[in-house]
Amino acid sequence: MSQSHLDARYLEFQAALGDAAPELLEAFSPPLLIKIPAAWQTAEHRILWIGQETAGWSWEGERLRADGLGWDYPDIASLGDFAQHKEAVEALTYGYGEFDFAADHPASRGPFWRYFRWVREAVQAYGSTSMVWTNVVRCSANSGQGYTPWAVPEAIRSDFLIRQRGLLTAEIEILRPTLTIFVSGPHYDAFVSDELPGCESIALAPFSIRQAARYIHPILPKATFRTYHPGYLNRNELGFRPIQAMVDLYVAEQ
């Protein structure tokens, strides 16, 4: 459950990009790389919150320093920059820690982070809790067509998905969460199945399988669930209800 184990896997991913085509390296943002919070190791409840992909994830020194961040690393604005710079893993895990789950970012007011904080607070009522965020897709698309993997040509998307395979698995195995919530929606199930072959989905009553499901796979904790992205939940009559059901079931099964 150590940062060094995570960093070693991230360095393997970086090295594996050495033969990637320039088109792929330019098509994606730098990857999201976890910095394990200090409280994670001793927390009774360890929650892994898994989204879709970042809405951009660019780290440019001039802008960051103007915002008050002590950024002493090269600019990392693309997957190509990440592949090139020796310090990139250290830089991006540092950036993840400084981002602090959007604590001082305008995005903190959006549904993704409001739901994140709500889950953390709901579980804290039952014991010490730490929470970590990652994504099904490691990088966002650098495209005028949007951030999702579908915003890049199919061949580039497929190559990237092959190269990122194993990162999420490694994070789960190293972090050993007690509760895992995918807020990636049903359209990302194919990416989850690619990462976790044989992963089974079972509807979480009283919701349909598209609305809320339990994932079952040997590397996942028993309390692993998937629902829609909070942006969709927030626009839909479902609201917090699927996630509330997940938290209630997790607590009941302890």
Side-chain angles (χ1 to χ4, degrees):
M1 201 186 292
S2 73
Q3 187 67 46
S4 63
H5 288 96
L6 269 184
D7 290 350
R9 184 61 187 85
Y10 294 153
L11 286 166
E12 290 176 6
F13 172 60
Q14 183 188 34
L17 295 170
D19 64 349
E23 294 80 7
L24 185 150
L25 296 174
E26 294 166 5
F28 290 96
S29 75
L32 180 70
L33 305 181
I34 292 170
K35 176 73 171 179
I36 303 175
W40 185 265
Q41 183 77 29
T42 58
E44 181 181 356
H45 305 290
R46 299 185 301 275
I47 308 168
L48 182 58
W49 179 256
I50 305 177
Q52 297 174 344
E53 68 281 310
T54 57
W57 195 244
S58 180
W59 297 86
E60 289 133 336
E62 184 176 353
R63 172 179 57 83
L64 295 167
R65 287 188 288 271
D67 291 340
L69 181 65
W71 183 262
D72 297 323
Y73 300 100
D75 290 355
I76 304 177
S78 68
L79 189 59
D81 291 340
F82 169 73
Q84 173 187 356
H85 294 303
K86 186 176 181 180
E87 300 173 287
V89 169
E90 178 185 332
L92 291 178
T93 52
Y94 167 78
Y96 179 102
E98 292 299 306
F99 183 68
D100 193 20
F101 312 117
D104 298 312
H105 193 279
S108 66
R109 297 187 292 272
F112 186 87
W113 293 111
R114 287 193 288 108
Y115 279 45
F116 176 98
R117 293 191 297 272
W118 179 85
V119 169
R120 185 172 57 191
E121 291 163 8
V123 176
Q124 278 175 344
Y126 301 95
S128 60
T129 300
S130 186
M131 196 161 172
V132 164
W133 157 58
T134 192
N135 284 326
V136 172
V137 180
R138 193 57 37 174
C139 304
S140 60
N142 279 339
S143 169
Q145 304 302 312
Y147 296 114
T148 76
W150 295 281
V152 300
E154 182 179 357
I156 294 175
R157 177 173 70 247
S158 297
D159 188 7
F160 172 75
L161 292 171
I162 290 169
R163 291 174 186 274
Q164 75 152 21
R165 189 179 294 155
L167 285 178
L168 180 59
T169 299
E171 288 171 343
I172 294 167
E173 291 178 329
I174 292 167
L175 292 168
R176 299 200 305 274
T178 60
L179 169 62
T180 299
I181 300 177
F182 287 77
V183 286
S184 48
H187 293 302
Y188 284 68
D189 279 356
F191 301 146
V192 175
S193 295
D194 185 57
E195 178 71 18
L196 302 170
C199 184
E200 184 180 358
S201 299
I202 299 174
L204 185 66
F207 307 99
S208 72
I209 197 167
R210 288 180 64 81
Q211 293 172 334
R214 185 194 285 266
Y215 278 155
I216 299 175
H217 188 274
I219 77 154
L220 294 172
K222 180 181 178 182
T224 296
F225 308 100
R226 189 267 297 142
T227 188
Y228 289 114
H229 187 279
Y232 180 85
L233 289 173
N234 203 50
R235 296 189 300 271
N236 189 280
E237 74 279 359
L238 291 168
F240 283 114
R241 290 191 298 115
I243 297 179
Q244 177 70 68
M246 294 168 187
V247 171
D248 291 346
L249 189 55
Y250 166 69
V251 172
E253 291 178 346
Q254 292 298 293

